[in-house]
Amino acid sequence: MHVGLIVLYCVLGIVGALLLFMIARTFFVRPKKKETERFLCAVDKEEAARILSGAVRVPTVTAYKEGDDQTPFLQFHEYLEKSFPLIFARAEKTIINKYSLILKIKGKNPDLMPGCFLAHQDVVPAAKEGWEVDPFSGEIKDGYVYGRGSQDMKSQMIASLLGLELLLREGKEPERTVYYCFGHDEEFTGKEGAKFIVKYLLENNIRFEFVIDEGGTMIDGSMVGIKNRQVALIGTCEKGYADYLLTATRDGGHASSPKRKSSVDEIAEAVYDLARSPMKRTFSKPLKQMYRTLAPYMNPIYKFFMVNSDLLGWFLRPVLGFINPILNATMRSTFAFTQLKGSDAPNVIPVKASAVVNVRINIGETRADVLKHMKKVVGKRIEVSEMENTFDPSPVSLTDTETYATLVRSIEEVYENFVVAPYPFIAASDSKWYYSVSNGVYRFTPFVYGKDDQKRIHGLNERCKIDGLGRAVVFYRRLIENLCYGENKI
């Protein structure tokens, strides 16, 4: 027999055996059978809406520069105290760096480590132009509370506080000490809020069994090949953040006699080269965990590829990255070019031109890796410097703990027909600061947002559905009960 045919048959045999292996592997991955008893609780969602409406009316806009008015944060503290009298009657209140807030509600069992619920008080700015209502009116209409912060994230703060307030109204005191930590500049990296809160906790030897913050999302399962079910994602980590300044320097001059290449040309080429030369896509540990968890519920085609992602990653990574920008962001460090500067006059060729690159650093990479890549791509003629307020990706919280299992169970008890999975949070939150005081930092936002409402976050006509707010209160009531009450010895 011809040698070429022998080689061909061998290759076909290997490919066939591998294909059979992958098919068999897919077949044996099936959903785990488990019965979760539904938790039902009557909640006055209109009360929650009224409290959220009042919270939105206090304009706690992030202070981006020295001299910005921050007195609304003090007004907000007063508002919270009036809205949640039972919590504040029991709480030890500590003000951190003038405007951040810690509430400590002491539990009955000192042997249990405390638990912590995070939220940020600050909201991004909102001009009135383009809004259907005044962005700080907290107007209630058509089943929604409108206004800046109604989604990000005063709704979650109100839901978490009201969840405990309801338990206290029933005369139930927590076994575990409960902390609420509310920073005042999360939208500006938390360097004046969460950072100082954690400093205080470290100085007082306070550690947490768990930290729960915003960040996970709830999506339609069809987006990931799961039919007739929805998906709840718990962020077990978050990407890093850095801004890099690219600077080109060349002789300037009058625009009437341009030279062959100017500093603006150099910067334009650098931006183009970086856009065409991104960092590699990878399946990080939390991304693999997400695919493994979701795979049993996917349709056969999605399931085949997800179960065998370790063998088919070379194919999956570019395909998934091309299909969806969010999936692309979960697999790589992303470059967003946000600011360009050249001359101050239209007829002057500048000596210096610059560009700012906003980078969200993938899990498993560092700022040093990003800097090395950028310098290699743009070459020696471009100066690359790291700007302020940067940080590497966070550690990855464990998913084989009782805390994580309790969080999953609490979601399943309140939200029917959901598949719960871990995932890497692609944005930034105050959570990143808390790994020094807890090994269990988790991000989850208990609101189901459609595409229309997702684009309202930080945008025009931000709003929170009152039905969804009521369900979030039920969730927090149950979560706090599961984590902080009874004989739960997490």
Side-chain angles (χ1 to χ4, degrees):
M1 185 178 290
H2 193 277
V3 175
L5 285 175
I6 295 175
V7 172
L8 177 61
Y9 289 147
C10 288
V11 170
L12 290 174
I14 292 171
V15 171
L18 184 60
L19 183 59
L20 287 173
F21 167 75
M22 290 192 292
I23 292 172
R25 193 187 197 189
T26 304
F27 178 79
F28 285 107
V29 173
R30 297 181 178 181
K32 294 180 180 179
K33 292 183 179 180
K34 62 177 179 178
E35 293 293 331
T36 301
E37 187 175 345
R38 300 273 292 130
F39 175 75
L40 301 175
C41 173
V43 164
D44 185 353
K45 62 184 180 182
E46 303 303 331
E47 177 192 19
R50 288 193 299 271
I51 296 173
L52 176 57
S53 174
V56 169
R57 288 197 293 271
V58 185
T60 51
V61 177
T62 314
Y64 290 97
K65 61 183 184 298
E66 191 173 345
D68 285 349
D69 182 18
Q70 298 190 73
T71 55
F73 290 97
L74 302 179
Q75 298 165 11
F76 191 60
H77 296 175
E78 294 176 1
Y79 177 76
L80 292 178
E81 188 162 356
K82 291 177 183 176
S83 301
F84 304 102
L86 296 182
I87 290 178
F88 278 81
R90 290 163 174 77
E92 176 185 318
K93 185 172 76 171
T94 305
I95 303 297
I96 302 294
N97 200 18
K98 298 181 182 179
Y99 307 109
S100 286
L101 178 65
I102 297 177
L103 300 176
K104 175 187 176 183
I105 299 90
K106 193 172 182 179
K108 294 188 290 184
N109 189 345
D111 294 330
L112 295 177
M113 284 182 67
C116 180
F117 297 92
L118 303 186
H120 61 86
Q121 306 169 71
D122 60 313
V123 301
V124 296
K128 293 183 180 181
E129 292 76 20
W131 280 73
E132 296 174 14
V133 301
D134 186 306
F136 293 103
S137 67
E139 184 171 331
I140 297 175
K141 70 169 188 172
D142 303 326
Y144 291 88
V145 178
Y146 278 78
R148 178 62 81 229
S150 58
Q151 286 177 279
D152 186 17
M153 64 168 297
K154 288 181 177 178
S155 52
Q156 188 160 345
M157 176 191 288
I158 298 308
S160 66
L161 287 167
L162 191 51
L164 179 57
E165 186 82 5
L166 292 178
L167 288 164
L168 295 177
R169 287 179 191 174
E170 296 171 14
K172 297 178 179 179
E173 300 292 335
E175 291 287 325
R176 184 190 305 279
T177 294
V178 178
Y179 277 80
Y180 287 98
C181 295
F182 300 151
H184 68 278
D185 68 334
E186 188 270 354
E187 300 292 359
F188 197 36
T189 74
K191 63 188 179 67
E192 299 295 330
K195 181 179 179 180
F196 280 83
I197 292 175
V198 171
K199 181 175 181 287
Y200 167 87
L201 296 171
L202 290 170
E203 289 172 348
N204 288 274
N205 299 313
I206 298 169
R207 287 192 59 82
F208 298 128
E209 183 67 39
F210 60 83
V211 173
I212 309 293
D213 194 13
E214 66 170 339
T217 187
M218 303 172 88
I219 62 174
D220 191 312
S222 63
M223 294 175 64
V224 287
I226 298 176
K227 189 177 180 181
N228 299 325
R229 298 193 70 166
Q230 292 181 293
V231 172
L233 298 176
I234 299 172
T236 55
C237 57
E238 64 184 61
K239 297 177 78 173
Y241 178 104
D243 292 312
Y244 293 91
L245 179 67
L246 310 180
T247 306
T249 304
R250 276 184 172 264
D251 291 338
H254 199 283
S256 62
S257 55
K259 296 180 180 178
R260 197 171 67 87
K261 184 173 283 189
S262 70
S263 60
V264 174
D265 296 325
E266 294 273 15
I267 283 296
E269 287 182 7
V271 169
Y272 178 81
D273 290 341
L274 279 172
R276 292 291 298 271
S277 304
M279 297 183 72
K280 291 182 179 179
R281 296 185 182 96
T282 61
F283 285 154
S284 63
K285 176 184 175 182
L287 195 58
K288 291 176 183 177
Q289 289 176 326
M290 182 184 82
Y291 288 143
R292 281 199 301 267
T293 305
L294 296 179
Y297 304 90
M298 292 178 170
N299 68 45
I301 296 175
Y302 275 68
K303 183 179 178 181
F304 174 80
F305 283 107
M306 291 302 106
V307 169
N308 297 292
S309 59
D310 54 341
L311 298 173
L312 300 173
W314 58 272
F315 170 75
L316 279 176
R317 286 189 290 269
V319 170
L320 293 174
F322 178 78
I323 290 173
N324 189 303
I326 295 178
L327 286 176
N328 184 59
T330 64
M331 291 185 287
R332 67 160 34 133
S333 295
T334 57
F335 298 164
F337 304 95
T338 56
Q339 294 175 299
L340 299 170
K341 181 173 175 56
S343 173
D344 292 327
N347 62 342
V348 174
I349 299 172
V351 173
K352 286 189 176 183
S354 63
V356 173
V357 191
N358 179 269
V359 182
R360 305 303 173 104
I361 306 166
N362 197 21
I363 310 302
E365 295 174 340
T366 67
R367 289 172 295 166
D369 295 327
V370 172
L371 188 60
K372 180 179 179 181
H373 174 84
M374 294 178 75
K375 286 184 174 180
K376 180 180 178 181
V377 171
V378 302
K380 294 182 179 180
R381 292 200 62 84
I382 302 294
E383 180 186 349
V384 184
S385 56
E386 189 176 275
M387 301 172 72
E388 294 181 346
N389 304 321
T390 64
F391 44 85
D392 285 328
S394 77
V396 181
S397 296
L398 298 175
T399 58
D400 58 354
T401 65
E402 189 63 32
T403 294
Y404 182 82
T406 302
L407 176 55
V408 171
R409 175 164 57 88
S410 300
I411 296 169
E412 293 173 340
E413 287 177 335
V414 175
Y415 297 91
E416 190 174 7
N417 205 31
F418 269 79
V419 181
V420 185
Y423 91 121
F425 183 48
I426 62 174
S429 71
D430 276 345
S431 302
K432 61 183 171 290
W433 299 103
Y434 284 80
Y435 281 90
S436 58
V437 293
S438 180
N439 294 326
V441 181
Y442 303 102
R443 302 154 185 82
F444 179 66
T445 298
F447 292 89
V448 181
Y449 293 132
K451 291 182 178 179
D452 179 56
D453 279 320
Q454 286 175 349
K455 67 185 181 183
R456 295 171 187 259
I457 301 173
H458 286 204
L460 296 174
N461 300 310
E462 185 179 350
R463 65 185 187 180
C464 177
K465 193 171 186 178
I466 294 174
D467 286 344
L469 179 62
R471 181 64 64 87
V473 174
V474 174
F475 166 74
Y476 266 106
R477 183 200 182 283
R478 186 56 171 166
L479 179 64
I480 294 169
E481 191 171 43
N482 284 339
L483 288 174
C484 304
Y485 279 73
E487 297 301 318
N488 197 339
K489 304 267 187 205
I490 294 173

